[in-house]
């Protein structure tokens, strides 16, 4: 059990856990959204540290295609009416690529993915508890609109958490973990 906890709190994974957690709960009134940005830069920075330390870069087809799409979009600036707007939009393509690249460097096994699924599910449970605490279920707008700024973004968070909980139930043999995940699934409904 102690060895499992040590592997769960691997520094490579902790930065990913923080990013997931802040992505779910770093919204006013709970905490400032800037924590999401800080945790994103922490993931990217730690991945760069790992690359320098290990002198190894892991690359896959997804990263190749993402980079290809970014290059194609960058070429579109040649014929764009407003080049500054186009350059601003490329930033929104670069961030998911940088995050994907960083996570590719930090995740080393299937076990790491299972741990990240658990954290993703638990983050949804923490989101639910915070929404209860701050009374965010009592609203005249669509559920999640005033918390996430967009009800669809809130629905995506709940959906990702539910899917992660279902995957964890499927992949785990631990009955206590099953009970926690079933509780999270019920809370998300």
């Amino acid at each position: 059990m102690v060895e499992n906890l040590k592997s769960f709190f691997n520094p490579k994974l902790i930065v990913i856990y923080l990013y997931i957690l802040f992505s779910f709960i770093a919204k006013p009134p709970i905490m400032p959204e800037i924590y999401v940005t800080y945790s994103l830069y922490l993931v990217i920075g730690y991945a760069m540290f790992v690359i320098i330390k290990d002198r190894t870069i892991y690359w896959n087809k997804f990263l190749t295609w993402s980079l290809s799409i970014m290059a194609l979009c960058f070429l579109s600036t040649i014929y764009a009416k407003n080049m500054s707007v186009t350059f601003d939009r490329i930033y929104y393509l670069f961030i998911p690529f940088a995050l994907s690249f960083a996570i590719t460097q930090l995740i080393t096994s299937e076990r790491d993915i299972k741990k990240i699924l658990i954290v993703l599910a638990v983050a949804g449970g923490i989101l639910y508890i915070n929404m209860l605490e701050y009374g965010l279920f009592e609203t005249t707008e669509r559920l999640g609109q005033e918390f996430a700024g967009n009800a669809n973004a809130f629905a995506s968070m709940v959906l990702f958490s539910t899917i992660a909980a279902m995957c964890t139930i499927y992949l785990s043999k631990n009955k206590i973990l099953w009970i926690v995940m079933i509780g999270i699934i019920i809370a998300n409904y």
Side-chain angles (χ1 to χ4, degrees), residues 80-98:
K81 289 182 181 180
N82 190 345
M83 289 179 120
S84 64
V85 171
T86 308
F87 279 118
D88 290 343
R89 299 293 184 244
I90 289 175
Y91 172 78
Y92 293 109
L93 291 173
F94 176 74
I95 292 299
F97 171 77

Side-chain angles (χ1 to χ4, degrees), residues 45-112:
Y46 194 76
M48 294 303 122
F49 170 75
V50 168
I51 289 170
I52 291 167
K53 185 183 83 144
D54 295 345
R55 298 175 188 228
T56 306
I57 295 178
Y58 297 100
W59 197 264
N60 58 30
K61 290 180 183 178
F62 175 77
L63 295 173
T64 302
W65 281 106
S66 296
L67 197 59
S68 301
I69 289 170
M70 281 180 40
L72 185 64
C73 292
F74 186 74
L75 288 174
S76 72
T77 60
I78 296 169
Y79 59 85
K81 289 182 181 180
N82 190 345
M83 289 179 120
S84 64
V85 171
T86 308
F87 279 118
D88 290 343
R89 299 293 184 244
I90 289 175
Y91 172 78
Y92 293 109
L93 291 173
F94 176 74
I95 292 299
F97 171 77
L99 183 62
S100 300
F101 178 77
I103 288 175
T104 301
Q105 308 311 308
L106 299 175
I107 295 177
T108 56
S109 69
E110 189 177 318
R111 285 184 186 164
D112 292 348

Side-chain angles (χ1 to χ4, degrees), residues 1-148:
M1 181 70 178
V2 174
E3 186 175 307
N4 288 341
L5 282 176
K6 283 183 181 178
S7 70
F8 195 81
F9 293 108
N10 177 348
K12 290 181 178 180
L13 296 178
I14 287 176
V15 294
I16 297 173
Y17 300 159
L18 286 173
Y19 177 71
I20 291 170
L21 186 63
F22 287 140
S23 293
F24 273 73
I25 64 167
K27 310 268 188 261
I30 299 168
M31 66 177 53
E33 286 186 80
I34 194 71
Y35 287 109
V36 178
T37 305
Y38 293 155
S39 61
L40 172 69
Y41 293 147
L42 180 65
V43 169
I44 294 169
Y46 194 76
M48 294 303 122
F49 170 75
V50 168
I51 289 170
I52 291 167
K53 185 183 83 144
D54 295 345
R55 298 175 188 228
T56 306
I57 295 178
Y58 297 100
W59 197 264
N60 58 30
K61 290 180 183 178
F62 175 77
L63 295 173
T64 302
W65 281 106
S66 296
L67 197 59
S68 301
I69 289 170
M70 281 180 40
L72 185 64
C73 292
F74 186 74
L75 288 174
S76 72
T77 60
I78 296 169
Y79 59 85
K81 289 182 181 180
N82 190 345
M83 289 179 120
S84 64
V85 171
T86 308
F87 279 118
D88 290 343
R89 299 293 184 244
I90 289 175
Y91 172 78
Y92 293 109
L93 291 173
F94 176 74
I95 292 299
F97 171 77
L99 183 62
S100 300
F101 178 77
I103 288 175
T104 301
Q105 308 311 308
L106 299 175
I107 295 177
T108 56
S109 69
E110 189 177 318
R111 285 184 186 164
D112 292 348
I113 294 171
K114 290 177 183 178
K115 294 171 195 169
I116 289 170
L117 285 173
I118 293 169
V119 171
L120 188 58
V122 169
I126 293 170
L127 171 67
Y128 177 77
I129 291 168
N130 282 327
M131 290 189 71
L132 277 177
E133 182 181 337
Y134 287 98
L136 297 173
F137 285 113
E138 301 165 13
T139 180
T140 57
E141 300 174 357
R142 290 174 59 196
L143 183 61
Q145 182 77 27
E146 73 182 66
F147 172 73

